[in-house]
Amino acid sequence: MELPIDYMTLRVIWWLLMGVLLIGFAIMDGYALGTLATLPFVAKTDEERRAVINTVSATWEGNQVWLILGGGAIFAAWPFVYAVSFSGFYLAMFLVLSALILRPVGFKYRSKRPGKAWRNNWDWALFVGGFVPALVFGVAVGNVLQGAPFSLDSDLRITYHDQFLGGLLGLFSPFTVLCGLTSVAMLLLQGATWVSLKIEKGALRDRAITYGVYAALAVIVLFALGGVYLAYGGLGFKVVGDIAADGPSNPRNAEVVKEAGAWLLNYGKYPWMIAAPVLGFVGALLALLGLKIKADPWAFIGSSIGVLGIIGSVGVSMFPIILPSTVDARSSLLVWTASSSHTTLFIMLGVTLVFLPIVLLYTAWVYKVLFGRIEVKALKTNPDLY
C-alpha cells in the first residue's frame, strides 16, 4: 500500500519532531534544573529556599514528560541511534538518572525535620539534581559533535572502542567541557528568569536577577566560543557521495568523513539555517535586557528563545548526520539511514498528531491554573507547599 507521505519527508518530519521534544525538555524542565542549581546561592534563609523550591514543585513532574517522550521518540523512530547512544553512554545516563532521582526525594524529605544540617544537606542534594544533568546533557551534545568511537559490523552489531572506565571519563575533553558549561549557563539563565517571574518582589528576586545577568553573559560568551571552536578547532564531519534519502535504513549504506570546519558547511548551503545561532544570541540578549529592566515575562521568553536557538544550531549544523563515528566512516548514523521503516514512521506520526496537542493543551491549562508569584508568608499558611 502506498502511503500518502513519502519516506524522505517522514524522516525529515521525525528529525524535526525529535528536535522539538529535546527543545521542549530543555525549556520546560530546564528551568527546574536551573532553579535547583541556583538554590544554595540565590536563597539565603530556610524560608527563601522553601520559596524557591515551591516555584518548581508543582510543575516539575509534568515537565518530565518531555524527557520520556524524547527517549521514546528516539527508541521508536531512530532505533539505531537509540541502540548506539544508550549502550555507549550508559554510565553517563546512569549518572543523570541518579541525579534526577535526588530531586523528588529532596522535595519530599527536606522539610521532614527542622534541623539546619538536615535541610542544608538536602538543599545540596537538590543542587546536584539540577547541576549534574545540566552539565552531562551538554557534555553529551559535545560528544555527538566530535563523534563517538563506535563501529557496526556487517550484521549491524555495535562495538565501542577506547572506552576508559566504561566511557564515562572518555566523554570529557576540552570541547565537550565547553559544551557542558554552555548547557549549565543556559539552564541557569532559564532557572533565574523563572525564579524572577515566580517569586514575590524583594531581595530574593533581586538576587535571582543578578545571577541571571551573569548567566546570560556567560551564555553569550560560551556559545560564541563554541562557534569559534567548530570553525577552527578541527571538528566536523560531512557525507561523501550520494545517498538515497528514500532508501532502506542501513547505516552502512553511507560514508561520513571527518573534515575540519565541516559542521559550518550547511550555513553556506542553506542560508536560512543561520537563523538558529542568531536566535541563540538574540534570546540571551533579550533575557539579559529583560532582567536588567525587571521585565520578568520578557526575560523568560528571551531565555527560552535562546534555548531554542542554541539547541537548534546543533541540529541544523549536523543535518543530515545524527551521530558520526570516529573509527569507521561507514558506521555513522544519518537521517536517511538510521530511521525506522516507512510504515512505522507514518503510524507514529498519526499517533503524535492526536496526542501531542493534548499534552500541549493540558500543559497550558496547568500553567494557567498555577499562574502567580510565590509569597514567603504563604509558606506558613498553605499546607500544600513544601
Side-chain angles (χ1 to χ4, degrees), residues 230-252:
L230 289 181
Y232 303 106
L235 295 181
F237 294 84
K238 70 175 185 179
V239 180
V240 177
D242 296 326
I243 302 173
D246 58 351
S249 287
N250 183 343
R252 297 190 63 80

Side-chain angles (χ1 to χ4, degrees), residues 26-91:
I27 291 175
M28 302 302 293
D29 204 40
Y31 73 71
L33 297 176
T35 296
L36 296 180
T38 65
L39 177 63
F41 314 106
V42 169
K44 301 300 183 182
T45 67
D46 181 65
E47 285 188 338
E48 287 184 345
R49 292 185 178 183
R50 286 184 62 200
V52 171
I53 289 170
N54 279 285
T55 63
V56 300
S57 62
T59 55
W60 73 271
E61 278 186 294
N63 294 335
Q64 297 279 72
V65 170
W66 293 98
L67 179 61
I68 296 170
L69 289 176
I74 294 174
F75 171 77
W78 310 98
F80 291 107
V81 178
Y82 178 89
V84 172
S85 60
F86 276 60
S87 59
F89 302 149
Y90 180 81
L91 287 180

Side-chain angles (χ1 to χ4, degrees), residues 23-39 52-64 66 103 107 129-131 134 183-184 186-198 300 303-304 307 363 366-367 370:
I23 291 169
F25 171 71
I27 291 175
M28 302 302 293
D29 204 40
Y31 73 71
L33 297 176
T35 296
L36 296 180
T38 65
L39 177 63
V52 171
I53 289 170
N54 279 285
T55 63
V56 300
S57 62
T59 55
W60 73 271
E61 278 186 294
N63 294 335
Q64 297 279 72
W66 293 98
R103 181 163 53 174
F107 286 157
F131 178 83
S183 174
V184 169
M186 180 180 74
L187 297 188
L188 285 176
L189 175 59
Q190 190 76 351
T193 56
W194 176 256
V195 173
S196 70
L197 180 66
K198 291 291 291 181
F300 184 74
S303 177
S304 300
V307 171
T363 301
V366 168
Y367 278 87
L370 297 174

Side-chain angles (χ1 to χ4, degrees), residues 159-194:
T159 301
Y160 265 83
H161 307 267
D162 300 325
Q163 291 291 283
F164 182 52
L165 287 183
L168 184 59
L169 296 183
L171 297 177
F172 293 88
S173 69
F175 176 70
T176 61
V177 170
L178 174 61
C179 291
L181 293 176
T182 304
S183 174
V184 169
M186 180 180 74
L187 297 188
L188 285 176
L189 175 59
Q190 190 76 351
T193 56
W194 176 256

Side-chain angles (χ1 to χ4, degrees), residues 46 49-50 53 106 108-112 118-119 123:
D46 181 65
R49 292 185 178 183
R50 286 184 62 200
I53 289 170
K108 295 296 183 181
Y109 281 89
R110 181 192 182 277
S111 296
K112 293 295 185 182
W118 170 269
R119 294 190 174 189
D123 288 339

